[in-house]
Amino acid sequence: MKFFFKILCLIAITTAAALAQSYNFKIIKTYTDQYPKLVSAVSVYDNSDEPCMDLKPGNFNIYIDSKKVDSLSTQFFQKSDKGMYFMLCVDLSATMKGQPLQTVKNSILRFIDNLRGIDKIGIMGFSDEAFLVSDFSSDKEYLKQKIRSLNTSGNNTSLYYGIYKGLEKLSDVKTEDGKMLIVMGDGKNENNAKSYSEEDVINKAKDEQIPIYSIGYSKISRIYLQTFEKISDKTSGTFYNSPSDEQLNKNFSKLYNQVLNMYLISYDVMNIEGDGKKHVNTITIKYNNETKSKSNEITFPAGIAALNGSNGAATKINWLLYGGIGGVLLIGLGVLFFVLNNKKKKEALERQRIEAERKRVDEEEMRRRREFQNIKQQEDYRNKQKNAPPAQDVNDLLAKAAQNVDSDKTMIINTAQQKNISSVILKVEVGPYSGNNFQINKEGANIGRMEGNTIVFKDNNVSKHHARIIFSNGKFYIEDLQSTNGTYINATKVANSVLNNGDTFKIGASEGRIQVL
């Protein structure tokens, strides 16, 4: 009996040791901005999702297209000069009402307290729609205020739509800092009307090299959390099941601990030019008597000369090559100066043309209105004299007025058409002004960030005088006023466009649909 007891103890100890030694790792992203030097961010963690922090450069081997890199160095993410952009996507649908949302909010507040000064957080809420709660900021008090103000709304959960919009917002940030999306909720996707799918989300995250970390908080059914598990697994993120309030807080701490203790592995690529093509990057880790490998594809920047070397020896400087490169650069700078100067001239001419066209349109609009007013005054006068002409005569007067306007440039529609369209509504569905409707009548409207515009969007992505809407020839038009970030109709950047019922628009961070009345 004692013999069997000893055997069982030995098996238990051996099993525990094996579990303790096991580890996992993920390639989060490979930075290529300093090519031919590359930096790969790698997360190494044990079976409890705790980071393995005792690895040395000798534990890593890296291969580019099956060719081993001779030398490398490692550094923890928290000791580097890199910050992290976190996009928090929070489920605000009816299923999160009450204690579930309050628990999530409390956990996020603790997460914000632990942030470094160089880290930034953006907040995206989703229910029936997706809406930006806060742009990226490192102001902890401001972020806490935004979190405390979160409330549930709507009945459905646009999960994929909310995550996709969060990924878009992250991809718009031009930085070499890290990027990560954290989604919190019960894993349900109840709004099938939205056009994004699970695969769309995964492909977008992989293209942008943005890992998705998911925190599943559900006391209803764990089956919905399988979506979170799949998305995180396919995008090099991690899924955290949080069946209790206590576990939710622990998982937030684990997540941030994993981020801070990622390994940044720096190494030089030898004898491969920057060719703008994809190459296979394989990282192998030998740790606790286990060897594991993972690969990802990275695109080398185009037009960068190869770093030459042999067997790890120091490279000899080829001064002739450097002189040739210098000469090419000088010629390139000269060509660039000529192109930019020519471009500026063309842009100036284009601005003059646009201004002249705008002035012509304004003059023609005023001329049309004067003609119409004259006709109306004549009609009123005849009515007072009880000698009003029949409706056909009024139409003849309108037709005669139309002949006086340059038919090649302006067409005047009849009075019946003019009465059909009376106003246009901008229905904002996404962004800081989500839920607002702005109705514009025939007098038109100016849109911009500065006070004094008819419609004011206090959004740094909106220019002071961004665009204007005018009514002309029986139709509403939107005209971009040379804004910095452009005006988009049906996902196309426009200078001047007719507004039709059902069109989509994007001005800064605000997106929505057009309704013509």
Side-chain angles (χ1 to χ4, degrees), residues 84-107:
M84 181 65 72
Y85 280 75
F86 295 96
M87 171 55 74
L88 305 183
C89 292
V90 186
D91 183 356
L92 298 177
S93 63
T95 57
M96 296 293 291
K97 188 175 182 179
Q99 187 59 37
L101 178 60
Q102 188 57 49
T103 302
V104 169
K105 287 162 68 171
N106 291 338
S107 297

Side-chain angles (χ1 to χ4, degrees), residues 129-399:
E129 301 288 343
F131 49 91
L132 187 67
V133 177
S134 170
D135 210 336
F136 292 102
S137 173
S138 57
D139 186 333
K140 293 185 178 182
E141 290 307 315
Y142 167 77
L143 292 169
K144 287 181 179 180
Q145 179 184 353
K146 288 295 184 179
I147 292 298
R148 292 189 184 103
S149 68
L150 293 178
N151 289 302
T152 56
S153 63
N155 297 314
N156 295 318
T157 308
S158 299
L159 175 65
Y160 303 142
Y161 186 67
I163 297 176
Y164 199 93
K165 286 298 177 181
L167 290 170
E168 283 187 332
K169 193 67 180 174
L170 271 171
S171 63
D172 286 342
V173 177
K174 306 305 178 186
T175 180
E176 288 304 324
D177 284 342
K179 297 178 182 179
M180 178 180 295
L181 186 142
I182 304 173
V183 57
M184 291 151 284
D186 56 18
K188 289 184 179 180
N189 182 66
E190 300 169 314
N191 193 343
N192 296 322
K194 293 302 178 185
S195 57
Y196 298 111
S197 66
E198 183 179 81
E199 292 303 315
D200 291 330
V201 167
I202 292 172
N203 291 334
K204 177 71 172 175
K206 291 172 72 172
D207 289 343
E208 300 292 341
Q209 292 192 71
I210 299 174
I212 298 176
Y213 285 70
S214 55
I215 297 179
Y217 182 73
S218 176
K219 296 184 178 180
I220 304 173
S221 175
R222 194 178 185 277
I223 190 171
Y224 297 109
L225 300 179
Q226 293 175 358
T227 294
F228 279 168
E229 291 184 83
K230 180 179 179 181
I231 290 175
S232 293
D233 181 63
K234 296 291 185 181
T235 62
S236 296
T238 301
F239 164 71
Y240 296 93
N241 183 29
S242 305
S244 66
D245 300 351
E246 181 183 1
Q247 190 62 46
L248 181 65
N249 292 327
K250 287 182 179 179
N251 284 339
F252 260 107
S253 297
K254 281 186 177 182
L255 187 155
Y256 194 51
N257 199 29
Q258 266 197 38
V259 171
L260 293 181
N261 292 291
M262 289 189 301
Y263 289 91
L264 295 181
I265 311 171
S266 301
Y267 49 99
D268 292 328
V269 177
M270 311 298 286
N271 304 316
I272 303 178
E273 292 185 356
D275 52 12
K277 297 179 181 179
K278 289 185 176 181
H279 295 265
V280 177
N281 180 40
T282 301
I283 298 179
T284 298
I285 299 178
K286 186 175 182 179
Y287 179 62
N288 284 346
N289 299 319
E290 285 188 273
T291 301
K292 296 184 178 183
S293 296
K294 290 185 183 295
S295 299
N296 68 336
E297 287 188 337
I298 51 177
T299 301
F300 291 171
I304 301 179
L307 187 63
N308 296 316
S310 177
N311 297 322
T315 16
K316 296 181 180 179
I317 301 175
N318 190 332
W319 293 106
L320 181 60
L321 175 61
Y322 277 59
I325 293 174
V328 171
L329 287 175
L330 287 175
I331 294 172
L333 288 172
V335 172
L336 181 62
F337 175 80
F338 174 81
V339 170
L340 291 177
N341 190 46
N342 192 42
K343 183 180 179 181
K344 286 182 179 179
K345 290 181 180 179
K346 288 183 178 179
E347 288 176 346
L349 290 174
E350 180 65 13
R351 284 195 297 269
Q352 293 175 5
R353 186 193 67 77
I354 292 173
E355 187 59 35
E357 180 66 14
R358 184 182 301 153
K359 185 177 180 181
R360 182 190 65 77
V361 170
D362 289 343
E363 289 175 351
E364 288 181 352
E365 178 66 8
M366 292 299 297
R367 182 177 176 184
R368 185 190 67 78
R369 291 184 180 183
R370 286 196 298 269
E371 292 286 349
F372 186 85
Q373 188 63 30
N374 289 338
I375 293 171
K376 190 72 171 69
Q377 289 175 353
Q378 292 178 27
E379 182 182 359
D380 291 342
Y381 176 78
R382 290 179 183 177
N383 285 335
K384 290 178 182 179
Q385 299 299 320
K386 296 183 179 181
N387 191 24
Q392 182 61 44
D393 292 342
V394 175
N395 288 333
D396 290 342
L397 289 171
L398 288 170

